Amino acid sequence: MKKSFFMLLILFICGIVSADVCMDILKEGNALLDVGMYERYANAQLVYQDIFWNILYERIKLFAFLLLLCFTPIRRFLGIFMISIFSFTWGFYIMTCVLELGMAGVIVGMAAVLPQGILYGMLLITLLGRSEVQTYSYHKQSNLVRGILDIVIVILLLITGCVLESIVSTHFIPWVIRLSMI
């Protein structure tokens, strides 16, 4: 447990260092957002329903792909790979937010992941845990109930995560950006 925590911490720090090293290159290539874009986002009239349906569509595509990968031989490494990628990219993202918005960037970076990130993590754990090869018959009633319960849990976690993500995206993040522009 300690080894994996330190590995994730090292990957997070590598993401931060990568963002710092690559900042000049990213700014020259217009790969990062400028402060004016943050101002336009903070003052935009966002339509909650449109954002929710867009997020739901994108997350369904992602988790359907992950579900397909859960039935391949790489399933054992999928969780480690996803957490490692998430740790690195989150460090990179938080550092770019800090470089562009100052210390308010930390709050924007946290709001981009929490609380929906916890639900998506639980969804990934449910997908990885359920995709194990079953050696028993699916005709047993307890296995059928467990399968239906897992499907319901996955759907509820996905929809709740999308709702939280769209609420945070439309209300909290613009509020923090407006505060940081003062």
Side-chain angles (χ1 to χ4, degrees):
M1 183 70 177
K2 286 183 181 181
K3 288 180 183 179
S4 47
F5 174 75
F6 285 120
M7 183 188 79
L8 294 177
L9 185 62
I10 289 170
L11 285 169
F12 181 77
I13 292 170
C14 287
I16 290 172
V17 170
S18 297
D20 194 33
V21 168
C22 297
M23 188 52 107
D24 293 333
I25 297 168
L26 293 171
K27 281 186 176 180
E28 287 176 11
N30 294 327
L32 296 178
L33 306 175
D34 61 345
V35 175
M37 190 296 206
Y38 283 109
E39 289 175 1
R40 288 188 300 275
Y41 179 74
N43 297 322
Q45 297 295 325
L46 302 172
V47 180
Y48 167 76
Q49 289 179 336
D50 292 342
I51 291 174
F52 169 75
W53 291 113
N54 183 39
I55 290 172
L56 183 64
Y57 174 71
E58 294 298 324
R59 298 304 172 255
I60 286 174
K61 286 191 318 188
L62 174 68
F63 284 110
F65 178 69
L66 289 175
L67 181 63
L68 290 175
L69 287 178
C70 285
F71 293 104
T72 65
I74 65 167
R75 180 189 60 81
R76 292 184 193 149
F77 307 106
L78 188 61
I80 296 168
F81 178 74
M82 293 299 296
I83 291 172
S84 300
I85 293 294
F86 172 76
S87 181
F88 179 83
T89 56
W90 194 33
F92 191 93
Y93 178 70
I94 284 184
M95 187 61 181
T96 56
C97 287
V98 167
L99 290 172
E100 292 177 343
L101 294 175
M103 288 312 291
V106 173
I107 298 171
V108 171
M110 295 292 284
V113 175
L114 300 173
Q116 67 272 9
I118 296 169
L119 296 173
Y120 293 150
M122 291 175 10
L123 175 60
L124 183 63
I125 289 169
T126 304
L127 285 177
L128 290 173
R130 184 63 185 153
S131 64
E132 295 174 359
V133 177
Q134 305 292 332
T135 58
Y136 47 84
S137 173
Y138 282 99
H139 298 292
K140 294 181 182 177
Q141 191 174 21
S142 63
N143 294 336
L144 181 63
V145 171
R146 181 174 177 225
I148 291 172
L149 184 62
D150 284 348
I151 291 170
V152 169
I153 288 172
V154 164
I155 291 171
L156 286 176
L157 285 173
L158 181 65
I159 291 174
T160 306
C162 291
V163 167
L164 287 175
E165 189 173 356
S166 59
I167 288 172
V168 168
S169 296
T170 57
H171 298 297
F172 184 69
I173 293 177
W175 178 74
V176 171
I177 291 172
R178 280 193 292 275
L179 283 178
S180 70
M181 297 294 171
I182 294 176

